[in-house]
Amino acid sequence: MNKFSVGRAAIAIKIVAAGLGAALLASCNSTAGEARTPGDVAGLPVTHFASGLKEGAPKPSLEVRNVTDTEPDRLAVATIADVSDYWSEHLPADFDGQKFEPVKSLLSYDAKGEDQETGCGGTAKQVNAFYCGRDDSVAWDRGVLLPMLLERFGPMAVVGVLAHEFGHAVQYRLLEKAGIGQNTPTIVKEQQADCFAGGYFRWVAEDKSKFYRVSTSEGLGQVLASLYLIRDQAGESATERGAHGSAFDRTFAFQRGFEKGPKDCAAIDMAEVQSRITEVPFDPEDKGKGDSKINQQTLGLLQASLDGSFTGTGAQPPRIVPGGGACPNGPSTPPASYCADTNAVTVDLPALTQLGRSVDVEAEMAGEDPGGMGDFAVFAEVASRYTQGIQKAVGASLDNTNAGLRTACLVGAWAKVTTQQGQKLRLSPGDLDEAISDLLRPDSLVAADVNGNRVASGFARVAAMRKGYLETSKSCTDQFG
């Protein structure tokens, strides 16, 4: 049974990165605190509108066992009809004329209700959506999982779940064309399925769907945010049976599909996964399981880490100091601000301490207050303001869209440096996922310019930070000026 895993995340401690530095250019002005719309999302314009079922969308003519006339079921059935249309077009176009065959069975069930039988077992207490190869079926929990996703994120999160599961059905049709066999590791299948879902969402974003419309800002953001919620737990390994990947890994696969399409997704194999996967167990010396208390001592470690990482720029490093997170004589972006007149990053330590509390996974899954976003969310926020001082010193503009993307990219590049041996502040399993979760918040500073203007597209924010992490700081300046 291929299930849509619900758990917590993980991240890598491997591949040594070089120090950071480069010349940066650009300039523009705007109103403080707004999301920036200019730019593109993998070649498509940044769009803002309500994502979901199109007005006047046709009623799907699909036979679904145990279906109800509820919103979760309406969304799920429309998604199955829509992804079937997508694959009817793309399977023959991308895979040597192979004809698409619809799945044989569809099932809606309530995880808290009466047990329903599938070829892979019963559904009682299965808060999941899954594809079952034994009877070529797709099933989903309309009682718990889909309503939770709908309430927390919006309709496109539901569509994302079903598009992922349908990706497994496509794998069973492609088999050797996608490198799928009896011994294919789970992580490869799951990364391919996330990638296939990304290809489908590109098709929807290009307005080719009869059923759905999705904006490239808020709409795609719903999908990316839901991938964070259903990430694997921190400390899990990609080699474990059932591994899907951390949020960092899953969003990578999804964005790859969106950018390159299903043929590229089918090329994902274990060698490719191992070259960039971040899901690893905790280091035996990590006694706190990745959680550090936010205080003056840890901020001192952050200062030393940033200073060492950016020493190659020749810039005078900004000092991280307490000060309420505001600048008396310049733009304030609490809980952390870069003050150009004093070349300092002022921080609101109590607010950062609240943000840095450990994530309560059970509360998070129940739709309740998760407590905090983790220590690395704090480090990423402060690091983003620190890089304002570095960018200013090398002559870069600090107040346009590219500045926000460049900032996120440089935070990612710094995060990679912390994976080096000998670093006192080192990346731990779950940290990159904390950064992505923070990055997708509407008030995040990680992809914001010096005035707090944020890049409007969550897709672009995540892609920029990942670029810095997986490539180098030079890639940040090459792409974002």
Side-chain angles (χ1 to χ4, degrees):
M1 184 189 298
N2 289 295
K3 295 184 178 181
F4 202 71
S5 169
V6 177
R8 201 167 159 217
I11 133 88
I13 306 177
K14 59 182 180 181
I15 309 178
V16 174
L20 307 174
L24 316 167
L25 299 170
S27 110
C28 177
N29 294 313
S30 80
T31 306
E34 296 179 349
R36 298 297 188 86
T37 298
D40 68 85
V41 177
L44 298 180
V46 179
T47 54
H48 304 271
F49 51 77
S51 300
L53 281 169
K54 288 183 173 180
E55 186 176 352
K59 185 176 181 179
S61 55
L62 295 175
E63 184 176 337
V64 182
R65 183 157 57 99
N66 200 39
V67 72
T68 63
D69 187 26
T70 60
E71 185 176 9
D73 266 346
R74 288 194 296 270
L75 291 170
V77 176
T79 301
I80 298 298
D82 208 36
V83 293
S84 296
D85 286 348
Y86 171 77
W87 287 110
S88 294
E89 174 186 325
H90 278 271
L91 208 63
D94 294 339
F95 299 99
D96 304 320
Q98 180 168 334
K99 183 180 178 181
F100 170 73
E101 295 291 340
V103 294
K104 294 178 181 177
S105 176
L106 300 170
L107 169 67
S108 168
Y109 68 90
D110 185 340
K112 297 186 295 184
E114 183 179 350
D115 192 25
Q116 304 292 323
E117 283 300 316
T118 75
C120 292
T123 62
K125 300 182 181 179
Q126 294 292 329
V127 182
N128 266 303
F130 60 89
Y131 170 75
C132 178
R134 294 175 187 170
D135 58 0
D136 191 34
S137 67
V138 175
W140 58 86
D141 168 27
R142 67 163 184 271
V144 182
L145 177 64
L146 298 197
M148 181 267 289
L149 291 171
L150 182 59
E151 180 179 356
R152 290 283 301 276
F153 304 106
M156 302 321 292
V158 174
V159 178
V161 167
L162 273 299
H164 168 97
E165 293 309 326
F166 207 89
H168 291 305
V170 171
Q171 288 172 337
Y172 271 71
R173 283 148 176 76
L174 289 173
L175 294 176
E176 67 276 2
K177 291 181 181 178
I180 301 298
Q182 187 173 359
N183 297 320
T184 303
T186 302
I187 189 68
V188 172
K189 295 178 182 178
E190 298 304 331
Q191 292 281 286
Q192 279 193 6
D194 284 335
C195 188
F196 284 149
Y200 160 72
F201 270 94
R202 173 70 180 233
W203 183 76
V204 177
E206 291 174 343
D207 200 27
K208 295 179 180 177
S209 165
K210 292 185 297 187
F211 294 91
Y212 285 105
R213 64 200 301 254
V214 61
S215 71
T216 57
S217 52
E218 297 84 1
L220 289 181
Q222 291 179 15
V223 186
L224 296 178
S226 68
L227 288 175
Y228 171 79
L229 180 72
I230 52 184
R231 67 207 184 276
D232 287 341
Q233 292 186 7
E236 290 187 10
S237 169
T239 61
E240 293 180 20
R241 183 181 177 87
H244 284 57
S246 67
F248 190 82
D249 301 329
R250 299 195 72 169
T251 55
F252 174 92
F254 177 89
Q255 291 187 309
R256 176 172 173 166
F258 191 94
E259 293 169 356
K260 299 185 177 181
K263 193 170 184 178
D264 196 82
C265 299
I268 293 175
D269 58 16
M270 197 59 195
E272 189 279 333
V273 168
Q274 288 177 327
S275 73
R276 47 86 183 170
I277 205 75
T278 65
E279 187 170 49
V280 297
F282 283 111
D283 188 294
E285 297 182 4
D286 190 347
K287 306 302 182 184
K289 299 300 182 185
D291 289 322
S292 300
K293 292 184 178 180
I294 302 302
N295 52 34
Q296 290 288 3
Q297 181 181 4
T298 50
L299 288 180
L301 292 173
L302 176 62
Q303 176 84 64
S305 175
L306 290 165
D307 289 352
S309 297
F310 288 96
T311 187
T313 64
Q316 180 67 31
R319 308 312 300 165
I320 301 172
V321 299
C327 298
N329 303 312
S332 294
T333 58
S337 299
Y338 173 65
C339 306
D341 59 338
T342 58
N343 193 33
V345 176
T346 68
V347 297
D348 181 344
L349 188 54
L352 292 179
T353 300
Q354 285 288 102
L355 178 65
R357 288 179 299 164
S358 298
V359 178
D360 183 334
V361 179
E362 291 186 5
E364 179 186 49
M365 290 305 304
E368 301 169 359
D369 182 4
M373 304 194 74
D375 57 357
F376 202 75
V378 171
F379 297 152
E381 290 270 315
V382 177
S384 77
R385 299 306 90 191
Y386 179 100
T387 68
Q388 303 301 311
I390 300 298
Q391 293 174 74
K392 179 178 183 294
V394 299
S397 172
L398 304 182
D399 60 358
N400 62 2
T401 302
N402 265 8
L405 293 171
R406 189 192 316 119
T407 295
C409 188
L410 289 172
V411 170
W414 162 72
K416 173 53 72 68
V417 172
T418 69
T419 66
Q420 294 181 33
Q421 294 291 336
Q423 295 285 324
K424 292 184 178 180
L425 187 68
R426 295 191 65 198
L427 210 59
S428 175
D431 281 349
L432 282 183
D433 287 1
E434 292 171 2
I436 282 184
S437 176
D438 181 79
L439 189 68
L440 291 170
R441 289 191 301 127
D443 58 349
S444 172
L445 295 173
V446 179
D449 69 10
V450 71
N451 299 311
N453 296 307
R454 298 159 186 88
V455 176
S457 167
F459 189 103
R461 296 183 198 179
V462 172
M465 190 185 78
R466 179 185 295 107
K467 187 175 188 67
Y469 183 84
L470 293 178
E471 298 179 24
T472 65
S473 59
K474 184 177 184 299
S475 71
C476 302
T477 58
D478 287 346
Q479 181 159 343
F480 306 121

